[in-house]
Amino acid sequence: MHIVTAFALLHGCLAQATAIPPPTGKYHVGFSKHIIDHYNPNDPLAPNNISTEFLATIYYPTLQTPTDPPRPYLEPELASRAEKLLNHTPGLLSTFTSTIQQDAPFLPLLEEQIFPTLLFGPGGGAPSVAANTILISELVSHGYTVVGLDHPFEQLFIRYPNGTGVAGVDIDFSSMEVLEAIYNTRLIDNAVFLQYFPELTRQIGAPFNTTHIGLFGFSLGGGAALGSTVNIDCDCIVSALNLDGAMWGVPALNSSRADAKKPVFLLGNQNHTNDNIMYDATWQTFPLRQTGYTRIFTVNGTAHLDFSDDAFWKTVSPGSLTGSIDGNRQIKIMNSYVKAFFDFTMLGGDSALLDGPSPEWPEVIKGF
């Protein structure tokens, strides 16, 4: 009786599983987790304001074909906390699966040597890097290595390689002082990782590109990508992309100091228009201060969370802060435009899609 019940429960769970959209490139996706040691005595969210490490998850192309069954791609604690935060059906997010492979073999050096690395940051106080797996996997399947950085106590939940889980603390999002401090912590994490990345690559014997790196992120992570491009003096940074994030710090200044002096791309929701300067003035001032290649696009029918995996989650269970656009179409838009920007700025690819407008994507509006 117990065996029959257990089998029925397992069968029911498998029947309800939903695969996230698969990547379209020729490579499969591997990932590995790494603790990055760094003593920060000014961490606004850590106990006693002291943190000693953060988490880097490296997603990389692999030739190994997945053989194991698809598995939930979010940690159960992260899924549960995200459901509460974003008003999704309880138990929903734990049913989403992917075929990314932990610790899969790296590509042979000659396979991967031409592809750059991308450094990604998630939203502030939001679900972790894993909640952006769809876009990350798409880029990896075309040859990019993507490193996502999660900061303990800020993201809703992260799990270290040794199995230790760290839940995020409550954040006062009404405090500009707190948000600025979180942003500054992101800049520190980015700088520390960029400095350590060549050594980490050597230690794990990976063929990752450490000299040509693109930065991107969602929400605060996107703002930090631009902030790092402006603030970090590193020839390794080639270009930066911001997915619906406000600018903070120096990039928010309406002055020449905000100039990244490198290619930048802003892709955001429908409210980021020239006619709606009160929504976020930094999207108006930042582009005007750039001397390098600059593009801004907005997507009609979108809201803030449509620039994360939540665009797909809402196709099963509508949540908060997503727009009317079909989620699967939004996923394709993000995949297409983000890849086009990095292909253009880092590989010298065709930039026609970035010149806009596109008959294939009429809801994508060029703003700059």
Side-chain angles (χ1 to χ4, degrees), residues 43-219:
D43 188 321
L45 303 179
N48 301 315
N49 299 120
I50 296 174
S51 59
T52 59
E53 60 194 16
F54 57 91
L55 177 66
T57 303
I58 305 179
Y59 300 83
Y60 54 88
T62 180
L63 297 176
Q64 177 172 281
T65 300
T67 56
D68 294 334
R71 64 178 187 177
Y73 85 107
L74 300 178
E75 296 285 351
E77 296 92 340
L78 172 59
S80 176
R81 290 170 70 90
E83 287 161 356
K84 294 177 182 177
L85 177 68
L86 306 177
N87 295 321
H88 283 297
T89 304
L92 169 77
L93 299 186
S94 62
T95 67
F96 288 132
T97 64
S98 77
T99 57
I100 63 174
Q101 307 170 77
Q102 187 162 8
D103 299 323
F106 303 130
L107 290 182
L109 179 60
L110 293 179
E111 278 269 0
E112 193 175 344
Q113 62 184 1
I114 65 169
F115 291 104
T117 296
L118 305 176
L119 183 62
F120 176 84
S128 61
V129 168
N132 304 271
T133 294
I134 298 172
L135 173 58
I136 291 173
S137 294
E138 176 67 11
L139 294 166
V140 171
S141 76
H142 290 279
Y144 290 96
T145 295
V146 179
V147 182
L149 301 185
D150 284 314
H151 196 82
F153 308 108
E154 183 201 335
Q155 264 60 64
L156 289 184
F157 182 86
I158 64 173
R159 191 177 302 284
Y160 283 118
N162 65 3
T164 300
V166 180
V169 301
D170 292 333
I171 298 175
D172 181 6
F173 287 101
S174 67
S175 171
M176 297 300 292
E177 181 180 359
V178 170
L179 295 179
E180 190 82 30
I182 293 173
Y183 167 80
N184 289 332
T185 299
R186 293 292 194 93
L187 298 188
I188 293 170
D189 288 354
N190 285 351
V192 168
F193 182 81
L194 289 173
Q195 184 176 30
Y196 179 63
F197 188 38
E199 173 61 18
L200 175 60
T201 297
R202 185 193 65 79
Q203 289 179 7
I204 63 178
F208 302 149
N209 190 325
T210 62
T211 60
H212 294 75
I213 298 175
L215 275 55
F216 75 123
F218 164 61
S219 193

Side-chain angles (χ1 to χ4, degrees), residues 37 43 49 63 73 215 244 265 284 286 294 337 344 367:
D37 293 322
D43 188 321
N49 299 120
L63 297 176
Y73 85 107
L215 275 55
D244 209 50
F265 182 32
Q284 312 297 323
F286 178 78
T294 306
Y337 279 84
F344 172 59

